[in-house]
């Protein structure tokens, strides 16, 4: 009897354990496999992957489900696994790594003129040459009916193209043409994590329901469209950076975000399809390269001669806020244009304050209107932010409401004011945004103002018993100076993953950018906005990234023999960090009004007309990046997960140093933790670089300086003579610190090689940590 009772108890415990195991939550994991380790009994890698997956879920009522099999940017697959299954998988032979999925977020015309591209068509080959380049954009999809994808004047699709135009909801394969030559969508990771999509809100197809993807792809390589504007603002001809390049879109971002299993599937397809440039305006913070899906995919793309350009992030102006910092990725921050959309706030005391607005509705009253601060019109502690439901209608009815910027979307605050009966809105920056102004297509009369102006307006309200104001929207203004400024939202260095690699690499136009838009959403992107437009003006490093992606396509068409690293080098070493003309004062930071630094802009603002003939480049290849990983003490499995092969390794008899990576910039990170410098004497750090001549024969001389007291720079040799194209010359740079500095101390400088015609410049950043 006792034995029977114990048996029943054991069976009950086992059943409970099995039930608990089956209800254990599954999540998506990326499984990296060693291709060469496939057992001989399997006919192909897909069969091996499936068998490996089944082996960890045998005996379970619900077997682990595979989402994607990857063949190009990594060897392996993604699957829905429990923690136990993931742990079991990681211990299997042939498995290099099992990484949990990451959720990424989007980093959300006059630009050709501002960049000096107008009338410069002769510098770059046209479509139909051997340099015909395809720009692959991984984003929210495409609105193919936009005129930005008109293929007039383009030749046949390159014979090397292997892509396709996937049909789906409201999207036929006939939507593609000789401009938009490919369109795919990837949603398995999204739906596995978030559940079935709401097809009334988003399309299970490449169609763009959001607008972001259409904006970025048309910015990179959209055709020229005359008479483009947003409600009359920024009117003119809109064109992408590489208007003769081809476009392929890979929809990997959805309403719930961008999931790494889908992103990797998109990158896998884009590289296999034949894209020469990949543009990703998304990010998920910084992670070790072996666990960063975008970095992993970008490494394989680089190996196959594909340049990958990514947005730096919109987490500025705080320091160390960058995304996408792998050295084989071109990391792009954002700057302003020389175009603005001024609006004026005229107070009852006669004071006028300048802001910005894209409001185009019924003209606001020309007579003074009562003015109130949102913090005084709410019982909520967050009433000053004009959050939904926080304003008292009886207090704001018929008045202009001053709302503080932050937390909720800028345009949403206007909806809150309008719904409460307000007549208009002044959106006031706080210290987080400083004097940076981003224009919005508000649905009520509104103007955004800087922190100083906002403080003055709120002081006026506090000092007057019956404050009033008038809002005047003034249209489009060009030739604004100084420009560019580093956008306040643009994420900043230093690079917290590898401080010895300076990031961002470069900045490009990212504020108030006009480009094509979806027909499914209004210009604000909010559900309540029923307006529909062909073009929209938005801001973010999401906008600066496709500018650089398109410029990279131009350089690849002009120099098809250049590697991705050579293209990036050309863009970086010809960038500018001071304003042209006058005394050459440094580029300013919109957040502070003070001089910006290489932690803000990297090498500087892109200058494509100079980049096409850089003179010299810093080149890099796969073996150089593997040496870099060896310097970081990566294990063989970590390197194999990135390089997709165990043939790469770190030699025991070789010394590796991050400072020897042939990067077009210099970052010196001294440490105070080890007692360096100070009483122990001077500390030196030596960097080695190699320059490749891509121009005519010439003699280059160097000039190097830093702004940090007690640090000297010595370059040897100080002169390099090149007699032929393709010739390589190496040099060393020794940075010597005479004494220790407090942690957080930073100094900057510049190293410039010049032959009198070409200027090959590299930024220098020196920090104490």
């Amino acid at each position: 009897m006792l034995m029977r009772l114990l048996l029943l108890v054991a069976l009950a415990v086992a059943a409970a354990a099995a039930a608990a195991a089956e209800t254990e939550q599954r999540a998506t994991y990326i499984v990296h496999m060693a291709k060469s380790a496939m057992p001989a009994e399997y006919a192909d890698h897909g069969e091996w992957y499936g068998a490996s997956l089944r082996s960890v879920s045998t005996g379970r009522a619900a077997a682990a489900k595979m989402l994607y099999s990857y063949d190009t940017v990594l060897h392996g697959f993604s699957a829905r696994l429990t923690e136990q299954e993931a742990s079991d998988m990681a211990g299997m032979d042939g498995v290099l790594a099992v990484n949990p999925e990451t959720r990424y977020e989007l980093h959300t015309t006059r630009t050709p003129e501002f960049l000096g591209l107008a009338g410069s068509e002769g510098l770059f080959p046209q479509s139909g040459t051997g340099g015909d380049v395809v720009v692959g954009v991984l984003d929210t999809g495409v609105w193919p009916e936009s005129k930005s994808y008109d293929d007039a004047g383009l030749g046949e699709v390159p014979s090397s193209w292997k892509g396709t135009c996937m049909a789906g909801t409201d999207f036929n394969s006939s939507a593609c043409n000789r401009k938009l030559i490919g369109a795919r969508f990837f949603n398995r990771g999204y739906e596995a994590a978030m559940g079935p999509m709401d097809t009334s809100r988003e399309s299970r197809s490449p169609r763009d329901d959001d607008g972001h993807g259409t904006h970025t792809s048309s910015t990179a390589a959209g055709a020229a469209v005359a008479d483009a504007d947003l409600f009359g603002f920024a009117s003119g001809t809109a064109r992408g950076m590489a208007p003769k390049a081809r476009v392929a879109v890979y929809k990997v971002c959805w309403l719930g975000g961008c999931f790494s299993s889908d992103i990797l599937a998109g990158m896998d397809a884009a590289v296999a399809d034949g894209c020469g440039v990949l543009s990703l305006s998304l990010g998920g913070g910084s992670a070790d390269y072996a666990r960063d899906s975008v970095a992993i995919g970008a490494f394989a793309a680089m190996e196959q001669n594909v340049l990958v350009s990514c947005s730096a992030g919109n987490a500025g102006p705080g320091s160390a806020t960058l995304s996408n910092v792998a050295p084989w990725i071109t990391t792009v921050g954002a700057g302003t244009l020389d175009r603005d959309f001024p609006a004026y706030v005229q107070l009852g005391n006669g004071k006028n304050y300048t802001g910005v607005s894209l409001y185009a509705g019924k003209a606001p009253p020309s007579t003074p209107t009562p003015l109130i601060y949102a913090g005084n019109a709410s019982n909520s502690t967050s009433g000053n932010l004009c959050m939904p439901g926080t304003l008292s209608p009886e207090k704001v009815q018929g008045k202009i409401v001053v709302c503080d910027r932050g937390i909720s979307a800028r345009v949403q605050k206007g909806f809150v004011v309008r719904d409460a009966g307000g007549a208009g809105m002044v959106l006031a920056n706080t210290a987080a945004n400083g004097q940076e102004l981003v224009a919005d297509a508000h649905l009520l009369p509104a103007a955004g103002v800087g922190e100083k102006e906002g403080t003055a307006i709120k002081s006026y309200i506090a000092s007057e018993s019956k404050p009033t104001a008038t809002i005047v929207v003034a249209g489009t203004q060009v030739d604004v100076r100084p420009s560019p400024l580093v956008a306040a939202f643009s994420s900043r260095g230093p690079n917290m993953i590898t401080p010895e690699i300076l990031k961002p690499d470069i900045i490009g136009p990212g504020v108030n950018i006009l480009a094509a838009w979806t027909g499914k959403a209004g210009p604000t992107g909010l559900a309540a906005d029923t307006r529909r437009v062909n073009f929209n003006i938005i801001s973010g490093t999401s906008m600066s990234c496709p500018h650089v992606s398109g410029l990279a396509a131009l350089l690849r068409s002009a120099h098809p023999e250049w590697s991705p690293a050579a293209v990036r080098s050309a863009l970086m070493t010809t960038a500018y960090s001071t304003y042209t003309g006058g005394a050459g004062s440094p580029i300013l930071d919109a957040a502070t009004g003070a001089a910006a630094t290489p932690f803000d802009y990297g090498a500087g603002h892109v200058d494509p007309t100079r980049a096409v003939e850089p003179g010299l480049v810093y080149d890099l290849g796969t073996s150089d990046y593997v040496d870099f990983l060896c310097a970081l003490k990566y294990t063989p499995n970590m390197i194999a997960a990135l390089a997709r092969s165990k043939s790469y390794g770190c030699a025991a008899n070789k010394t590796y140093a991050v400072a020897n990576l042939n990067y077009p910039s210099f970052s010196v990170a001294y440490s105070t933790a080890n007692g360096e410098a100070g009483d122990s004497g001077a500390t030196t750090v030596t960097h080695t670089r190699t320059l490749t001549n891509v121009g005519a024969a010439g003699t280059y001389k160097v000039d190097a300086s830093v702004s940090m007291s007690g640090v000297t720079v010595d370059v040897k040799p100080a002169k390099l003579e090149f007699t032929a194209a393709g010739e390589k010359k190496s040099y060393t740079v020794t940075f010597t610190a005479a004494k220790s500095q407090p942690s957080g101390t930073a100094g900057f400088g510049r190293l410039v090689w010049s032959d009198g015609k070409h200027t090959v410049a590299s930024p220098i950043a020196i920090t104490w940590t």
Side-chain angles (χ1 to χ4, degrees):
M1 184 71 177
L2 178 60
M3 291 296 294
R4 183 179 180 185
L5 181 60
L6 290 173
L7 179 60
L8 289 172
V9 170
L11 289 172
V13 170
E22 293 310 324
T23 57
E24 186 180 352
Q25 187 173 5
R26 291 184 184 274
T28 300
Y29 289 83
I30 314 296
V31 182
H32 298 259
M33 306 289 283
K35 186 176 182 179
S36 60
M38 183 182 75
E41 64 262 28
Y42 296 108
D44 57 48
H45 288 85
E47 183 183 346
W48 178 37
Y49 300 160
S52 300
L53 183 58
R54 287 191 297 274
S55 71
V56 300
S57 59
T58 299
R60 295 178 181 270
K65 179 183 178 182
M66 184 182 294
L67 299 178
Y68 296 104
S69 176
Y70 306 108
D71 300 312
T72 304
V73 299
L74 67 90
H75 298 307
F77 58 93
S78 55
R80 300 288 288 177
L81 303 173
T82 65
E83 286 189 15
Q84 184 60 53
E85 289 168 341
S87 177
D88 292 345
M89 180 69 73
M92 294 181 63
D93 290 340
V95 175
L96 298 172
V98 179
N99 295 329
E101 179 168 64
T102 301
R103 177 178 171 180
Y104 292 78
E105 301 291 342
L106 295 167
H107 287 152
T108 250
T109 247
R110 181 173 169 76
T111 313
E113 288 82 0
F114 181 65
L115 293 175
L117 289 175
S120 64
E121 289 80 3
L123 290 173
F124 303 99
Q126 300 302 299
S127 178
T129 70
D132 211 349
V133 180
V134 182
V135 180
V137 181
L138 284 79
D139 213 294
T140 64
V142 65
W143 191 258
E145 293 81 6
S146 170
K147 292 181 179 179
S148 292
Y149 307 106
D150 187 349
D151 63 358
L154 292 178
E156 293 301 315
V157 173
S159 59
S160 59
W161 178 246
K162 299 180 179 64
T164 188
C165 203
M166 289 178 64
T169 305
D170 197 24
F171 196 97
N172 297 322
S173 59
S174 60
C176 293
N177 57 17
R178 295 190 304 273
K179 161 59 77 172
L180 177 64
I181 65 173
R184 299 179 185 264
F185 66 100
F186 303 88
N187 61 309
R188 295 176 195 169
Y190 170 51
E191 293 197 273
M194 306 295 289
M197 71 175 65
D198 181 353
T199 53
S200 68
R201 300 180 63 204
E202 51 187 337
S203 305
R204 192 177 278 110
S205 76
R207 183 163 292 280
D208 184 8
D209 305 298
D210 177 272
H212 192 275
T214 300
H215 199 280
T216 55
S217 60
S218 62
T219 296
V225 181
D227 302 320
D229 66 82
L230 173 65
F231 303 134
F233 293 98
S235 59
T237 298
R239 49 161 280 189
M241 295 297 95
K244 297 297 184 181
R246 317 302 178 120
V247 176
V249 298
Y250 301 84
K251 185 177 179 180
V252 298
C253 294
W254 306 83
L255 288 179
C258 320
F259 291 82
S260 57
S261 58
D262 294 330
I263 294 170
L264 280 170
M267 297 181 80
D268 204 61
V271 173
D273 286 348
C275 294
V277 175
L278 296 187
S279 186
L280 291 84
S281 291
L282 50 84
S286 294
D288 185 89
Y289 309 129
R291 294 185 293 107
D292 183 337
S293 291
V294 171
I296 290 168
F299 192 99
M302 171 275 302
E303 282 188 283
Q304 299 185 57
N305 202 34
V306 178
L307 183 143
V308 180
S309 170
C310 294
S311 49
N314 295 343
S319 62
T321 51
L322 293 163
S323 296
N324 303 314
V325 297
W328 48 87
I329 290 173
T330 300
T331 309
V332 187
T336 64
L337 286 173
D338 62 344
R339 179 179 65 197
D340 211 349
F341 307 101
Y344 305 102
V345 181
Q346 302 173 346
L347 302 182
N349 63 1
K351 297 285 183 66
N352 292 332
Y353 296 99
T354 301
V356 294
S357 182
L358 295 171
Y359 172 71
K362 182 181 177 181
S366 57
T367 55
T369 301
L371 182 67
I372 189 170
Y373 178 46
N376 300 330
S378 173
N379 294 322
S380 170
T381 55
S382 60
N384 63 306
L385 296 170
C386 297
M387 304 288 281
T390 61
L391 297 181
S392 301
E394 63 274 13
K395 293 183 179 180
V396 304
Q397 182 69 39
K399 298 178 181 178
I400 295 174
V401 181
V402 178
C403 302
D404 285 333
R405 182 175 169 182
I407 308 299
S408 62
R410 299 182 301 272
V411 290
Q412 188 180 45
K413 297 176 189 292
F415 278 99
V416 172
V417 171
R418 190 188 69 171
D419 289 349
M425 177 182 70
V426 175
L427 182 62
N429 279 4
T430 62
N433 304 104
Q435 294 304 110
E436 177 191 57
L437 299 178
V438 178
D440 294 298
H442 296 285
L443 275 132
L444 82 169
V449 298
E451 180 192 12
K452 294 177 182 178
E453 291 78 4
T455 298
I457 292 170
K458 285 179 279 189
S459 295
Y460 162 70
I461 293 173
S463 65
E464 289 285 335
S465 59
K466 293 183 178 181
T468 62
T470 302
I471 295 174
V472 177
V473 179
T476 304
Q477 179 183 358
V478 295
D479 296 322
V480 174
R481 295 289 183 267
S483 60
L485 307 174
V486 176
F489 60 73
S490 188
S491 291
R492 317 299 174 94
N495 176 352
M496 298 305 289
I497 301 300
T498 313
E500 297 86 356
I501 301 296
L502 180 61
K503 290 283 184 171
D505 292 315
I506 205 163
I507 63 170
V511 178
N512 298 333
I513 303 302
L514 179 77
W517 196 244
T518 177
K520 289 285 288 291
T524 64
L526 299 176
D529 188 354
T530 59
R531 300 171 298 177
R532 294 294 180 265
V533 296
N534 294 322
F535 292 85
N536 198 10
I537 295 172
I538 56 177
S539 302
T541 54
S542 277
M543 284 62 256
S544 55
C545 171
H547 277 91
V548 170
S549 303
L551 295 176
L554 283 180
L555 291 185
R556 302 217 77 172
S557 68
H559 300 286
E561 74 282 5
W562 283 5
S563 70
V567 172
R568 176 182 57 195
S569 174
L571 290 168
M572 290 177 64
T573 60
T574 58
Y576 60 91
S577 59
T578 59
Y579 295 114
T580 57
S585 56
I587 288 177
L588 301 179
D589 185 346
T592 63
T597 76
F599 283 156
D600 308 322
Y601 54 66
H605 192 282
V606 66
D607 187 354
T609 58
R610 293 181 60 227
V612 72
E613 293 184 6
L616 307 173
V617 296
Y618 294 89
D619 208 356
L620 284 162
T622 303
S623 61
D624 301 300
Y625 292 119
V626 171
D627 286 353
F628 164 78
L629 297 176
C630 291
L632 297 181
K633 308 298 184 186
Y634 268 39
T635 66
N637 274 6
M638 292 169 72
I639 292 175
L642 274 162
R644 303 170 300 121
S645 172
K646 285 196 170 184
S647 63
Y648 296 110
C650 306
N653 60 350
K654 183 177 179 179
T655 301
Y656 298 94
V658 174
N660 289 340
L661 184 69
N662 200 37
Y663 216 68
S665 58
F666 297 89
S667 180
V668 181
Y670 290 116
S671 173
T672 58
N674 299 322
E676 292 184 347
D679 296 335
S680 63
T683 298
T684 62
V685 174
T686 299
H687 288 239
T688 301
R689 295 291 189 271
T690 299
L691 284 162
T692 301
N693 184 26
V694 293
T699 299
Y700 286 79
K701 296 180 180 179
V702 73
D703 179 65
S705 61
V706 294
S707 62
M708 178 176 281
S709 176
V711 176
T712 60
V713 184
D714 184 32
V715 183
K716 291 183 178 178
K719 182 171 69 174
L720 297 174
E721 294 185 15
F722 295 91
T723 59
E727 187 178 3
K728 298 178 182 293
K729 296 283 186 178
S730 296
Y731 68 95
T732 62
V733 188
T734 301
F735 299 91
T736 303
K739 61 179 181 178
S740 178
Q741 300 284 351
S743 179
T745 302
F748 306 96
R750 207 159 177 84
L751 183 151
V752 181
W753 291 95
S754 179
D755 65 348
K757 177 183 178 182
H758 304 97
T759 300
V760 186
S762 296
I764 298 171
I766 300 174
T767 55
W768 287 89
T769 59

